[in-house]
Amino acid sequence: MAIRPYWKGYLKLSLVTCPVQMMPATSENEKVRFHTLNRATQNRVVSHYVDAVTGKDVKDEDEVKAYQRGENEYVLLEDDELENVALESTKTIDIEVFTPRNGVDWIWLDTPYYLSPDDPVGQEAFSVIRDAMAAEDMVGISRLVIARRERAVMLEPRGKGIVLWTLRYGDEVRDAESYFEQVDDQPADSEMMPLVQQLIKKQTQHWNPKMVSDPVQDRLLDIIEAKKKQMKKPVRAKSKGKEKAEPVPSNVINIMDALRKSVDAENRPDRH
């Protein structure tokens, strides 16, 4: 089944405009998901909104967004008021400014999307915008309404397409200096450095998606598969034997000794 575009609209640079479509670059569809059931009936549990004071259910038409301005005092905002906040950026990605790609730090990048032409006629305009940014090593900065909120976005040329990154708001990014101020700024030990560099060279590999596989999900799938089989077989009594605890690693006292042992272990013939 074809995946439906997350968003459709126009990419605009000055007088150049082309229709585009946007798709999420990541997916969580493969993750193990759970439903909450009533253990007694095996029926699914349904969540709903309840008035915090009266305890009564709240009807859908009575739900409204509100901003708290004081204790028990709120400013109510209707859906049409929220939708009309930034109408100009709901259907058009108008590139406002360009900036060097290496000037945008990773911490500002939030969620990636793939941007591609939505019409054969617009491919030429799309390609020239993409290739011009790539040639200058630049990215475009614009704005777009996503989920009723206007977000700053960054457009980065990538192969035949463009990756659109939503950017975090300024008040979401914390200053790193306050977290690292206690870290000693003295140069690293000159005797330890070559040992660590050896370890880095020995353990260097080309990037592979398997490096970020999820072992917890794999174990969950194993448990689920085992339970499926148990549902078809008689339930056996659980063993009363105690499980062996995993050994607790001892604390390393001498960093230099630990590094030397690590390098020696990497250089053993049986490691290759």
Side-chain angles (χ1 to χ4, degrees):
M1 183 176 66
I3 301 175
R4 295 179 59 184
Y6 178 78
W7 176 89
K8 282 189 174 187
Y10 296 90
L11 176 63
K12 183 175 183 291
L13 173 59
S14 187
L15 300 178
V16 180
T17 303
C18 62
V20 290
Q21 61 180 359
M22 190 170 76
M23 305 286 288
T26 59
S27 171
E28 296 187 351
N29 291 340
E30 301 303 318
K31 285 189 176 181
V32 175
R33 298 182 183 277
F34 298 103
H35 296 291
T36 302
L37 303 183
N38 180 341
R39 186 188 297 273
T41 65
Q42 299 290 297
N43 296 329
R44 287 188 52 179
V45 174
V46 178
S47 60
H48 56 275
Y49 288 105
V50 176
D51 189 295
V53 177
T54 67
K56 295 181 179 180
D57 291 352
V58 179
K59 297 179 181 179
D60 291 346
E61 59 268 25
D62 290 333
E63 295 174 13
V64 62
K65 297 289 191 298
Y67 174 81
Q68 186 172 9
R69 56 173 297 184
E71 187 175 358
N72 297 323
E73 188 177 1
Y74 299 88
V75 177
L76 303 185
L77 296 169
E78 301 297 336
D79 288 345
D80 57 350
E81 293 176 310
L82 295 172
E83 290 172 358
N84 292 331
V85 168
L87 286 177
E88 292 184 0
S89 57
T90 58
K91 286 297 180 183
T92 302
I93 303 171
D94 190 354
I95 303 179
E96 301 166 352
V97 67
F98 293 93
T99 190
R101 173 63 185 90
N102 59 12
V104 184
D105 201 1
W106 64 270
I107 200 168
W108 292 97
L109 306 181
D110 190 4
T111 304
Y113 296 88
Y114 292 138
L115 199 67
S116 61
D118 189 36
D119 187 325
V121 177
Q123 288 201 20
E124 184 177 10
F126 180 90
S127 298
V128 73
I129 294 173
R130 175 202 64 204
D131 292 349
M133 285 194 295
E136 297 295 328
D137 196 20
M138 293 284 181
V139 292
I141 305 297
S142 184
R143 308 191 73 82
L144 179 64
V145 173
I146 299 177
R148 293 186 175 180
R149 296 198 71 182
E150 188 173 64
R151 303 293 302 270
V153 297
M154 183 186 84
L155 287 80
E156 178 184 15
R158 183 76 61 88
K160 296 191 296 182
I162 292 175
V163 175
L164 181 147
W165 286 91
T166 58
L167 301 176
R168 292 189 170 91
Y169 298 103
D171 55 3
E172 293 178 335
V173 178
R174 294 175 175 173
D175 182 15
E177 291 299 323
S178 60
Y179 294 91
F180 299 146
E181 61 185 1
Q182 301 299 327
V183 180
D184 190 354
D185 59 359
Q186 295 298 318
D189 188 285
S190 58
E191 294 184 16
M192 293 184 185
M193 278 288 288
L195 297 175
V196 175
Q197 289 172 322
Q198 285 186 53
L199 287 175
I200 292 174
K201 289 179 181 178
K202 287 288 183 181
Q203 295 175 212
T204 297
Q205 300 178 21
H206 289 292
W207 165 254
N208 189 314
K210 291 182 179 179
M211 294 179 182
V212 289
S213 61
D214 186 354
V216 173
Q217 168 136 319
D218 293 339
R219 291 170 191 164
L220 282 173
L221 290 172
D222 290 341
I223 292 172
I224 291 170
E225 188 61 32
K227 284 185 173 288
K228 284 182 181 178
K229 293 178 180 179
Q230 286 179 0
M231 293 170 70
K232 301 177 182 179
K233 298 179 181 179
V235 179
R236 296 181 179 179
K238 294 183 179 179
S239 172
K240 295 182 179 180
K242 294 183 178 179
E243 295 182 359
K244 293 182 179 180
E246 293 185 4
V248 179
S250 59
N251 293 329
V252 177
I253 305 301
N254 191 308
I255 299 177
M256 182 66 80
D257 288 346
L259 288 172
R260 288 197 178 105
K261 289 178 182 178
S262 298
V263 171
D264 291 342
E266 288 291 332
N267 291 329
R268 287 204 313 263
D270 59 353
R271 292 283 297 180
H272 306 284

